Amino acid sequence: MVVLSQPILDSLSHIKTCKPTSNIFTEIPVIDLSAPTAKTLIVEACKEFGFFKVINHNITMEFLSKLETEALTFFNSAQQEKDKSGPPNPFGYGNKKIGPNGDMGWVEYLLFCTNSQLINFPGLSQTLCGLVNEYVSSIRKMTCEVLEMIAEEIQIWPRDALSRMIRDEKSDSCFRLNHYPPCPELQALSGRNLIGFGEHTDPQIMSVLRSNNTSGLQICLKNGTWVSVPSDHTSFFFNVGDSLQVMTNGRFRSVKHRVLAEGLKSRVSMIYFGGPPLSEKMKPYSQVMEEGEENLYKEFTWCEYKKSAYKSRLGDNRLGLFEKSAAQ
């Protein structure tokens, strides 16, 4: 029997657990961006899962390894040194507390605003800041490429109708480095998993995830089943966000996902959240609508949705307040 010390008990006491699942997601759509079928496969994946994996992305493993190493150097430093970059407001360093409404997880993180010319704040090395800036620039470019493929396939014109919102200098995008520390004490939780980052959907247009080779990511399928996503440090995983679900009038699915903590290995993930400018109106594109089809959502600005999401808990159905049926 494992006996936990009081400090460890205190650190785990406010973090939720869940039952383990043996379901491995073996049907992940894999998209080769250089293939002529890429745009068709992306749209099919967005409709069925709201989730897909991208390969042949032209971002080198050498560069990704440098960023990961530099991020771990920060996260492995003394707590008092890391705290110089926090608390998050909302950007900066955070530890276990996720957002302002009581959500907790076995995670520490750095959250950056990406619409400023240079990413930087106190306590970070210039090397890390430089790598983050370079990474965000590359991922933004790839995200825009994917969004333009989507627009072309579902016949939204002009071709940059979606990507221009992320390219806009006022784009409300952000970047997050997450570190899920090892937790050997997990064996004392009676076979339950510790939640690293609770279930949620991403409110933005599209988010792009890359992690090291430690597993933990799970997504929720249409039937409500949670499945584990095998880790792949060489590829990128794309999530449809709430905003893109609205702009396609529900054709694309904003995928609910979560991260479970690993007992013996740390997990490092990096996520780019591609968001529109605050003043952008969120509504379905008329080109995707069939004749006589009604809008499922009330029109709102990204600023209005962001404020509403910021007041909610992670697992809340944030779009529910903006569905037309909610007003009836």
Side-chain angles (χ1 to χ4, degrees):
M1 179 179 178
V2 178
V3 179
L4 302 186
S5 66
Q6 192 59 44
I8 291 174
L9 284 171
D10 291 341
S11 69
L12 296 177
S13 61
H14 300 296
I15 299 174
K16 293 182 179 179
T17 62
C18 67
K19 293 180 180 179
T21 176
S22 58
N23 299 318
I24 305 297
F25 190 32
T26 58
E27 302 175 29
I28 302 172
V30 179
I31 311 297
D32 181 342
L33 290 183
S34 65
T37 57
K39 61 183 180 181
T40 301
L41 295 176
I42 288 171
V43 168
E44 289 175 356
C46 289
K47 290 178 177 178
E48 181 62 26
F49 301 111
F51 182 83
F52 55 92
K53 180 165 79 171
V54 163
I55 61 173
N56 286 347
H57 42 70
N58 296 323
I59 299 177
T60 68
M61 277 304 302
E62 180 185 7
F63 172 71
L64 293 173
S65 296
K66 283 181 181 178
L67 176 53
E68 185 179 314
T69 299
E70 201 63 29
L72 276 172
T73 298
F74 172 83
F75 288 123
N76 289 333
S77 61
Q79 190 63 49
Q80 62 185 26
E81 292 300 313
K82 292 185 285 189
D83 288 341
K84 293 177 181 178
S85 299
N89 188 31
F91 304 109
Y93 171 76
N95 185 19
K96 295 187 179 70
K97 184 179 178 181
I98 303 170
N101 301 311
D103 289 297
M104 303 287 287
W106 189 256
V107 63
E108 58 180 341
Y109 63 87
L110 285 166
L111 183 62
F112 304 84
C113 173
T114 64
N115 62 354
S116 55
Q117 196 165 16
L118 184 66
I119 293 171
N120 197 357
F121 42 78
L124 297 186
S125 71
Q126 290 302 307
T127 302
L128 177 57
C129 292
L131 290 169
V132 167
N133 277 289
E134 187 177 346
Y135 181 87
V136 166
S137 178
S138 298
I139 299 302
R140 181 190 293 118
K141 182 179 178 181
M142 179 167 56
T143 305
C144 288
E145 180 183 356
V146 167
L147 289 174
E148 287 171 5
M149 287 182 176
I150 288 172
E152 190 174 324
E153 180 68 11
I154 63 177
Q155 299 184 353
I156 294 176
W157 302 105
R159 190 171 184 266
D160 68 348
L162 299 172
S163 63
R164 61 143 185 103
M165 290 184 259
I166 292 176
R167 285 200 178 98
D168 194 303
E169 63 179 11
K170 294 181 180 179
S171 163
D172 187 37
S173 298
C174 58
F175 175 66
R176 188 179 188 108
L177 280 169
N178 285 337
H179 177 232
Y180 303 90
C183 186
E185 297 78 18
L186 278 178
Q187 59 185 302
L189 295 177
S190 302
R192 295 181 65 84
N193 289 121
L194 190 67
I195 299 292
F197 208 109
E199 62 181 72
H200 64 286
T201 59
D202 295 333
Q204 292 86 356
I205 299 170
M206 186 160 270
S207 51
V208 185
L209 163 75
R210 185 262 171 189
S211 72
N212 64 357
N213 257 343
T214 301
S215 60
L217 175 65
Q218 295 188 335
I219 67 169
C220 188
L221 303 181
K222 283 182 177 179
N223 63 6
T225 301
W226 283 98
V227 291
S228 296
V229 178
S231 57
D232 182 354
H233 69 293
T234 67
S235 303
F236 292 90
F237 295 93
F238 280 65
N239 293 343
V240 170
D242 296 345
S243 297
L244 191 53
Q245 178 172 315
V246 170
M247 289 186 279
T248 59
N249 207 37
R251 285 165 172 77
F252 288 5
R253 176 173 171 262
S254 181
V255 62
K256 186 179 290 186
H257 53 287
R258 66 187 182 188
V259 175
L260 306 185
E262 164 68 46
L264 300 177
K265 296 185 292 184
S266 67
R267 185 174 193 269
V268 177
S269 64
M270 43 196 80
I271 312 101
Y272 171 75
F273 301 91
L278 290 172
S279 60
E280 190 73 36
K281 291 182 179 179
M282 300 284 99
K283 60 181 180 179
Y285 279 95
S286 59
Q287 296 100 316
V288 305
M289 307 276 281
E290 296 179 2
E291 187 175 348
E293 181 179 347
E294 293 188 6
N295 288 0
L296 297 178
Y297 306 95
K298 297 174 282 187
E299 184 177 308
F300 53 90
T301 64
W302 168 243
C303 182
E304 290 171 331
Y305 189 56
K306 182 180 178 181
K307 285 181 179 178
S308 175
Y310 199 64
K311 294 176 183 176
S312 68
R313 298 291 297 266
L314 267 181
D316 290 347
N317 176 19
R318 300 177 179 127
L319 273 180
L321 295 173
F322 296 87
E323 293 171 355
K324 282 202 169 179
S325 58
Q328 296 173 356

